[in-house]
Amino acid sequence: MSHLLSAADLAHGIEDVVVLDVRWALTTANTGAGRADYEAGHVPGAFFVDLDTELAAPAGEGGRHPLPDPAVVQALARRAGITERSRVVVYDAKESYAAARAWWVLRWAGVPDVRVLDGGYAAWLAAGLPVSTEEPADRHGDFAVRPGQLPTLDAAGAARLAREGLLLDARAPERYAGEAEPIDPVAGHVPGAVNSPTAAWLAEDGSFRRDLAEVWKRVTDGREAQAGPVGVYCGSGVTAAHEMLALAQLGVDTVLYPGSWSEWIRDPSRPVATGSEPG
């Protein structure tokens, strides 16, 4: 089963799905931009979802985007009318970074059928499909969240997987290498983690590349994960979900380290590697 949906396919079946708009400001300087973009125009019938408050808990010991309170996710699901039988489609502006976080969180919470609009709202507009500025009314769904339906890694588990299996760091190469760190106070990566920049999985139009298997071949480069899934982390557990979505398209089992780098560095006793190699 593909986890992705084209704009044409969404338009064809839009009456039968729950659509969530997860446009998100990547920087604090643009906080609120996602909501403003939604109000300016969105896929008809889509509900706006705020990543920072509905798909993550407040920043703290668990990193910049810890897993959300299940009660918050349940409120979101019920507001959008999600039931056990719902098919849910999520999208963001273009690259599906935030949409992938929603895809992962909703499945972690027990929503069985979640897809991502490939290419996001940009793909919808490019297809010449209609837009709306009307916000739908609360649909009062009855979905009961069951958190923990997807496995996760803690810091110890991430360190073990980096030694014994395959742990991917989805951040840009310069952040992984410790050459630049625009967000977190410490630069570098988890020792043993392999750099796999999220952007490498994207085509120029923001959709997922059609040659994902070739990208995966270059990432592994002879490395093979031992028994168990591939671990993935990023800065705070958002863009890592995007890489997990790409790998899900290939049938590769993955597990998220939700705290990611922003949680790893909160304990000064944890080692930090720098340079372009796993270390």
Side-chain angles (χ1 to χ4, degrees):
M1 180 191 79
S2 176
H3 297 270
L4 301 174
L5 197 69
S6 71
D9 286 341
L10 174 56
H12 179 73
I14 198 165
E15 298 298 328
D16 301 319
V17 299
V18 175
V19 184
L20 304 179
D21 182 313
V22 200
R23 279 180 281 181
W24 176 57
L26 292 173
T27 65
T28 55
N30 293 324
T31 298
R35 177 77 198 194
D37 289 343
Y38 170 83
E39 292 175 351
H42 51 264
V43 173
F47 288 80
F48 179 72
V49 177
D50 184 78
L51 186 149
D52 290 316
T53 61
E54 295 183 293
L55 299 175
E61 291 302 314
R64 282 187 281 109
H65 289 105
L67 293 184
D69 183 332
V72 173
V73 181
Q74 180 161 291
L76 153 66
R78 293 188 174 186
R79 171 169 62 87
I82 294 175
T83 70
E84 291 289 345
R85 298 173 300 281
S86 293
R87 289 185 293 152
V88 180
V89 178
V90 296
Y91 72 88
D92 59 25
K94 183 177 180 179
E95 291 92 354
S96 298
Y97 295 144
R101 170 73 176 206
W103 166 82
W104 189 91
V105 166
L106 291 172
R107 292 164 62 243
W108 167 82
V111 179
D113 189 349
V114 187
R115 316 286 177 93
V116 171
L117 172 59
D118 196 15
Y121 190 59
W124 183 266
L125 294 178
L129 294 165
V131 302
S132 173
T133 57
E134 295 184 10
E135 185 166 0
D138 191 322
R139 291 184 182 170
H140 306 288
D142 61 2
F143 186 77
V145 161
R146 302 179 300 279
Q149 298 304 304
L150 295 179
T152 58
L153 292 169
D154 59 12
R160 183 169 57 253
L161 196 54
R163 294 191 306 268
E164 301 174 359
L166 184 57
L167 179 67
L168 301 179
D169 183 317
R171 296 173 301 157
E174 62 272 17
R175 294 183 68 192
Y176 170 87
E179 297 168 354
E181 182 45 70
I183 303 174
D184 293 306
V186 178
H189 60 266
V190 176
V194 174
N195 191 210
S196 174
T198 304
W201 300 85
L202 285 172
E204 289 186 4
D205 64 357
S207 66
F208 282 85
R209 292 175 57 151
R210 299 299 176 258
D211 60 344
L212 293 178
E214 289 301 313
V215 179
W216 180 229
K217 184 178 179 181
R218 290 195 294 272
V219 169
T220 54
D221 189 25
R223 302 180 181 92
E224 291 293 337
Q226 298 181 13
V230 174
V232 190
Y233 77 94
C234 57
S236 66
V238 174
T239 56
H242 182 275
E243 192 143 326
M244 297 172 77
L245 176 54
L247 291 173
Q249 285 294 104
L250 296 174
V252 177
D253 290 332
T254 57
V255 58
L256 177 67
Y257 172 23
S260 287
W261 185 246
S262 60
E263 191 261 347
W264 178 270
I265 59 174
R266 285 182 174 270
D267 184 344
S269 70
R270 294 184 187 126
V272 171
T274 56
S276 60
E277 296 299 320

